[in-house]
Amino acid sequence: MKRNLSTVLVLGLVLAFLIGPFLIIIAASLSAGNSLAFPPQGLSLKWVAKVFTVESFRESFATSMFLAIFGTLAALALGVPAAYALNRYRLPFSETVRTVVSAPIIVPGIIVGLALLRYLVIPAGVPVMLALFCAHTALVLPYAVRVVSASLGNLRSDIEEAAVLLGCTRSGAFFRVVLPNIRGGILAAFILGFVTSFNQVPVSLFLSGPGVRTLPIDMLGYMEINYDPSVAALSALLAFMSIGIVFLAERFLGFSRYV
């Protein structure tokens, strides 16, 4: 009995540690006061409503959504074939390729952003939006390769070979047999890449320019001038958006059945 009670107590503390900050942000976003504070000074939805009236939030949200969606899709377009080749074929220097692909995870984002600004944007005159897109794609690529490689590792190669022996072409077997069986891994890589790209701060901080700012950078800039609960309200909305994406993926795509 004492062991069960201690287990419940430990689990409760862990749960409070994980969910506590989220609950504090939600409570602060519902404050009726004019400054960010906890406990909230009354309850009101005025700061949640204000989030939708700030033009800079709307523009930066659209920028972040574009980078997160299309940057992740570009990373998957590169990562799925790369993961397939590394998993199915004995390539020379395959470990070197894996290390190079994983480099964006190992190298701090602030260094990546500074390097792109110093050696790509300034000397070559590359547009900031294009540099941001390339940077976000590169940052998401390691997740795509690693997650899809794990799914391919769990898929028996003789299933693909059986399709080829039955008359299917190699490309046909890839699209008809391999892809349907690893769609759970692809979905997991997309969600992970989307969240990583959307919340990216260090790289976006260096590659932001006039008229081009992601939502996290815009939120930082807003807090330098204003200290009202609207940023807390926006943070709560973004958290609920992430939860909703995972729920919809499970509800309509059957995420848990494939991973």
Side-chain angles (χ1 to χ4, degrees), residues 78-98:
L78 297 172
V80 172
Y84 180 81
L86 291 172
N87 193 273
R88 288 291 189 263
Y89 302 104
R90 294 183 178 179
L91 302 175
F93 309 110
S94 60
E95 291 303 320
T96 303
V97 173
R98 291 180 187 272

Side-chain angles (χ1 to χ4, degrees), residues 99-185:
T99 302
V100 171
V101 171
S102 302
I105 298 180
I106 302 172
V107 179
I110 193 170
I111 296 178
V112 175
L114 179 60
L116 289 173
L117 177 66
R118 176 64 180 82
Y119 297 104
L120 184 65
V121 176
I122 295 178
V126 175
V128 173
M129 191 64 184
L130 179 59
L132 262 177
F133 179 81
C134 294
H136 280 240
T137 301
L139 290 171
V140 173
L141 182 60
Y143 298 100
V145 173
R146 286 178 175 270
V147 175
V148 174
S149 293
S151 294
L152 286 169
N154 294 326
L155 178 64
R156 294 171 53 182
S157 59
D158 54 0
I159 297 177
E160 182 182 358
E161 296 301 328
V164 174
L165 291 174
L166 290 173
C168 191
T169 62
R170 182 65 64 176
S171 59
F174 176 78
F175 286 104
R176 296 179 182 179
V177 177
V178 176
L179 283 184
N181 281 281
I182 64 170
R183 59 181 174 180

